[in-house]
Amino acid sequence: MEFEVGNTTLELIQGDITDVEADAIVNAVNSTLLGGSGVDGAIHRKGGPRILEECKRIRATEWPDGLPTGKAVITSGGNLKARYVIHTVGPVWLGGFHVEAELLKQAYRNTLKLAVSKGLKTVAFPSISTGAYGYPIEEASRIAIGTVKAFLEKEDRLERVIFVLFSERDFEVYLKAAKT
Ligand code: ADP
């Protein structure tokens, strides 16, 4: 399903983000940047060891104490079809009283800003924070879609932003958020 937002196409698909051909796919990581489960595990498995090596270098040089929640960094795409991977840390859901919404917005916004600053044209997101981090997906989908739309209304350098939802249910939830 596609929507036009300013100059950019916003697309929602169901699938595996490691199969997506885009300038960058987005990885939902933990602060260590040293690998995890879920989408992070899938990206490192298919992308090969180079991505992890670059993450380790970023840890050693830029973020010795770990990447803070809401921030984003970029590595190559290793063996993936995507040229780059943008790694961002979403918030752990703690009941909604701990600025989770603001931090989730920052994760999407900082990822998009980084993509634009690198001259990338196509970016694919997973559903950040709604797996191991437990963010309720209806709320997360509204924040994800709303934040991306608001960004694209002011920024016309991206050609396509894709949400890649892993399950059919997740896809339906995001579709509903995109239509309202
Ligand atoms: P977080 O810790 O931010 O919650 P997870 O990786 O646990 O990150 O989950 C984030 C979302 O990514 C979940 O909706 C999960 O179903 C989804 N996911 C897991 N593997 C893939 C994949 N290969 N492609 C796309 N989405 C995936």
Side-chain angles (χ1 to χ4, degrees):
M1 183 66 78
E2 291 187 357
F3 305 84
E4 300 304 319
V5 186
N7 279 351
T8 309
T9 302
L10 178 64
E11 183 179 15
L12 273 60
I13 60 173
Q14 191 199 331
D16 182 335
I17 201 165
T18 64
D19 292 330
V20 171
E21 243 173 282
D23 290 338
I25 63 169
V26 179
N27 189 10
V29 294
N30 60 55
S31 288
T32 71
L33 283 174
L34 301 180
S37 57
V39 71
D40 192 17
I43 284 173
H44 286 295
R45 264 196 307 280
K46 198 175 276 186
R50 182 166 158 206
I51 300 173
L52 188 59
E53 280 160 26
E54 290 178 46
C55 285
K56 285 181 179 164
R57 201 172 318 133
I58 290 168
R59 265 304 294 275
T61 56
E62 290 170 59
W63 297 104
D65 299 326
L67 185 65
T69 306
K71 300 264 190 245
V73 296
I74 190 164
T75 66
S76 76
N79 304 327
L80 296 167
K81 288 178 193 155
R83 283 163 58 209
Y84 298 96
V85 177
I86 298 178
H87 307 261
T88 189
V89 184
V92 177
W93 178 254
L94 297 168
F97 305 106
H98 302 265
V99 300
E100 291 97 323
E102 178 54 31
L103 291 168
L104 189 59
K105 280 183 204 168
Q106 285 178 21
Y108 281 100
R109 232 185 269 135
N110 285 327
T111 297
L112 290 167
K113 277 188 198 162
L114 184 53
V116 169
S117 78
K118 296 286 176 190
L120 308 187
K121 298 295 178 197
T122 54
V123 180
F125 283 98
S127 176
I128 297 168
S129 282
T130 64
Y133 279 6
Y135 211 118
I137 193 160
E138 281 83 3
E139 281 179 65
S141 68
R142 287 194 289 269
I143 291 167
I145 298 278
T147 304
V148 169
K149 277 187 177 170
F151 185 91
L152 296 179
E153 274 157 13
K154 294 191 183 146
E155 169 56 66
D156 61 8
R157 280 174 285 179
L158 291 166
E159 283 168 11
R160 181 175 291 265
V161 174
I162 310 165
F163 278 97
V164 185
L165 292 320
F166 206 37
S167 72
E168 194 175 336
R169 176 173 180 267
D170 291 0
F171 175 78
E172 294 300 336
V173 171
Y174 269 72
L175 195 56
K176 195 172 161 206
K179 284 179 174 167
T180 51

